Amino acid sequence: MSIMNFDRIMIRYGEMALKGKNRRAFEQKLQSNIAIKLRKYPNTTIKKTQGRMFVLLNGEKPHEVMKECQEVFGIHSLSFAVMVEKEEEQMKEAVMLAFHDARNARTFKISSKRTDKTFPIPSQELNPLLGGHILRQTEDVKVDVHNPDVEIKVEVRHEGCYVTAQDYPGAGGLPVGTTGKSLLMLSGGIDSPVAGYLTMKRGVEIEAIHFHSPPYTSERAKQKVIDLAQALSKFGSRVKIHVIPFTAIQQKIHREMPEGYSMTIMRRMMMRISEQVAARNELLSITTGESLGQVASQTMESMNTINEVTNYPIIRPLVSMDKIEIIDISRKIGTYDISIRPFEDCCTVFVPKAPKTKPTRKNANYYESNSDFTRDIEKALEESYIVEVSPDRQSGQQDDEFDDLL
Ligand code: ATP
Ligand code: MG
């Protein structure tokens, strides 16, 4: 029985059309994002060498660290690896370890490379030597040089012999923080967290904005949004949530606007406030979970009418997706179970029985011109506050505990 274990994880991020300065920024950000993610594994260290990174485990549990790394955007694939002495028995033990990492592999291939020419065994001889060892130690396993279940890479270098196991998929995308910042309109639904995730995947750092309407919406409804933001923070490092008290504006819309337009006008108010928050925090775009055709309010007319009030770029990553694809992603990223908790959302509380599915800009402007919302918007902004979450803050905490993070 072997006591050998992997001592590092190899991280591949590919060339990615990155040149010069961009590449440096990409690598630095990736390294610091991995470091933040691995804070709870304090013995790990990160080493960068020509187009690759290694996480040295220094005794931390390999699979736990692997799981964390797989959530970091900007990584194409990862493998466990181990460095052993340039000595036959250790090398055999290392290839066995690598083979067993691919649990169901029935075929394998060993690819050896000998950089250290003082090592006496040339690579053509090393492949059958190490491969033969695996064949003797296993049953029903074959070598397949063309299409193996697992390719085990052996590299004999000056400082030692590296053995690398199967590839694990990385999260892809770009390191969060390399392509700017966006304000995510985060409701308690299924869609907006997924929209946030997909935006982060493209390297965007997000802050969130949430409109809530106490006492129509409860503290637990707000907590749900905090938990969603926390789930998203796993893919960045922390997320600030701008919580906007929205009751007064909704009541005024309810009182003063025609019922058929209340939904559209409410969304326009949300958008106006979002733009202000974005501008004040140097966020250059707004991200929403809007889709097309999911519900009666999600029409091209509605999008057009709501969009009139801002000229900020609106990122709508879900616009090309089916609901089933969105749900799949929400399950994968761990937001689904939070999203389906049965708490009310401010939109559903005030939702009219028959919202206009084809609103126009002209009508919306006309109705809004009968009331002045300027002061209400200012007041909502004044009364807004920030909740900040990070992955190591447990979900379900009370608000006053979050306050000390501000
Ligand atoms: P979701 O599943 O994200 O709630 P949805 O399918 O319910 O989306 P809508 O209710 O039409 O769609 O909302 C469209 C988008 O508007 C949401 O995805 C979200 O980005 C934003 N939004 C809706 N309600 C709120 C809210 N209370 N606070 C912040 N943003 C919101
Ligand atoms: Mg919703």
Side-chain angles (χ1 to χ4, degrees):
M1 192 58 196
S2 158
I3 50 152
M4 184 183 281
N5 210 343
F6 297 111
D7 66 357
R8 67 197 67 206
I9 292 172
M10 181 197 274
I11 290 175
R12 304 180 195 84
Y13 44 88
E15 303 299 310
M16 294 259 208
L18 287 167
K19 298 177 195 88
K21 271 213 303 243
N22 271 350
R23 184 184 180 106
R24 245 180 88 80
F26 175 102
E27 285 175 339
Q28 273 167 2
K29 202 72 198 171
L30 180 60
Q31 180 164 1
S32 74
N33 289 355
I34 296 170
I36 289 168
K37 197 74 173 144
L38 296 182
R39 269 197 302 229
K40 56 181 159 179
Y41 301 97
N43 293 326
T44 55
T45 52
I46 303 169
K47 220 171 70 180
K48 202 164 65 186
T49 52
Q50 325 126 347
R52 275 177 191 174
M53 260 174 229
F54 287 93
V55 173
L56 302 183
L57 294 163
N58 298 315
E60 301 285 5
K61 293 204 175 74
H63 283 92
E64 286 183 17
V65 176
M66 173 64 87
K67 200 162 161 280
E68 296 292 332
C69 293
Q70 281 187 289
E71 288 176 348
V72 179
F73 287 126
I75 297 175
H76 175 255
S77 71
L78 314 90
S79 299
F80 285 120
V82 58
M83 187 182 85
V84 294
E85 305 271 315
K86 290 177 277 185
E87 182 271 312
E88 213 180 296
E89 286 313 308
Q90 286 205 20
M91 288 162 72
K92 283 178 175 171
E93 207 176 320
V95 295
M96 274 318 291
L97 177 70
F99 178 76
H100 283 310
D101 182 47
R103 295 203 184 282
N104 300 314
R106 304 264 51 95
T107 59
F108 74 93
K109 169 188 180 177
I110 297 204
S111 308
S112 306
K113 196 164 127 191
R114 186 180 56 150
T115 319
D116 173 11
K117 300 292 179 200
T118 66
F119 183 72
I121 311 172
S123 42
Q124 313 88 275
E125 286 171 35
L126 209 47
N127 290 340
L129 177 80
L130 298 174
H133 179 70
I134 294 180
L135 293 172
R136 280 191 299 278
Q137 300 285 312
T138 52
E139 276 168 32
D140 298 329
V141 169
K142 290 195 181 75
V143 172
D144 181 347
V145 291
H146 300 297
N147 188 25
D149 292 339
V150 56
E151 180 178 359
I152 298 163
K153 297 197 185 85
V154 177
E155 194 175 347
V156 182
R157 293 172 69 103
H158 177 69
E159 67 273 24
C161 171
Y162 293 90
V163 175
T164 311
Q166 65 168 327
D167 288 2
Y168 286 71
L174 299 167
V176 171
T178 54
T179 57
K181 295 183 185 176
S182 188
L183 182 65
L184 170 68
M185 294 179 70
L186 187 60
S187 69
I190 293 171
D191 297 340
S192 43
V194 174
Y197 167 84
L198 292 172
T199 307
M200 292 168 93
K201 185 175 180 196
R202 291 312 301 163
V204 178
E205 199 176 321
I206 57 160
E207 291 187 16
I209 184 167
H210 177 66
F211 297 86
H212 83 135
S213 303
Y216 303 100
T217 59
S218 64
E219 279 301 299
R220 292 169 82 190
K222 192 177 77 193
Q223 185 60 46
K224 183 179 171 183
V225 172
I226 293 172
D227 292 347
L228 285 170
Q230 187 182 38
L232 287 178
S233 74
K234 280 203 306 189
F235 303 99
S237 60
R238 59 198 181 115
V239 174
K240 263 188 197 167
I241 313 163
H242 301 266
V243 182
I244 313 288
F246 204 48
T247 318
I249 292 178
Q250 283 200 298
Q251 284 170 331
K252 183 163 172 173
I253 292 172
H254 194 64
R255 269 195 321 268
E256 299 179 17
M257 300 291 112
E259 194 180 325
Y261 264 75
S262 62
M263 177 76 137
T264 307
I265 291 171
M266 179 189 79
R267 281 288 151 75
R268 282 162 62 103
M269 295 301 163
M270 283 185 176
M271 201 52 96
R272 289 183 174 106
I273 292 172
S274 297
E275 186 190 279
Q276 295 265 350
V277 169
R280 290 174 190 193
N281 293 280
E282 293 171 358
L283 314 169
L284 299 187
S285 68
I286 295 168
T287 299
T288 77
E290 282 171 294
S291 187
L292 277 170
Q294 259 193 35
V295 288
S297 61
Q298 287 176 353
T299 60
M300 199 68 90
E301 288 80 1
S302 179
M303 202 182 268
N304 180 283
T305 307
I306 294 164
N307 214 148
E308 186 189 14
V309 304
T310 180
N311 59 14
Y312 266 54
I314 311 266
I315 300 177
R316 299 183 179 88
L318 306 189
V319 93
S320 70
M321 301 181 98
D322 298 341
K323 191 74 188 186
I324 243 168
E325 297 174 282
I326 298 168
I327 289 175
D328 276 354
I329 298 176
S330 77
R331 285 217 166 91
K332 195 181 81 185
I333 66 175
T335 55
Y336 183 77
D337 288 335
I338 306 170
S339 292
I340 59 170
R341 280 189 220 156
F343 293 113
E344 63 296 322
D345 178 62
C346 67
C347 310
T348 45
V349 172
F350 285 90
V351 79
K353 278 173 229 60
K356 199 99 179 114
T357 58
K358 298 193 170 178
T360 64
R361 290 182 172 198
K362 192 165 158 239
N363 287 346
N365 284 317
Y366 171 72
Y367 297 134
E368 283 176 3
S369 71
N370 296 328
S371 298
D372 187 3
F373 284 93
T374 325
R375 183 65 205 126
D376 306 275
I377 289 178
E378 274 166 18
K379 194 148 179 290
L381 284 163
E382 278 160 21
E383 288 171 1
S384 72
Y385 54 94
I386 293 170
V387 175
E388 199 170 308
V389 292
S390 60
D392 39 12
R393 305 291 298 187
Q394 285 292 306
S395 58
Q397 291 180 78
Q398 290 309 303
D399 290 335
D400 50 356
E401 290 181 55
F402 280 99
D403 287 344
D404 59 36
L405 278 171
L406 304 184

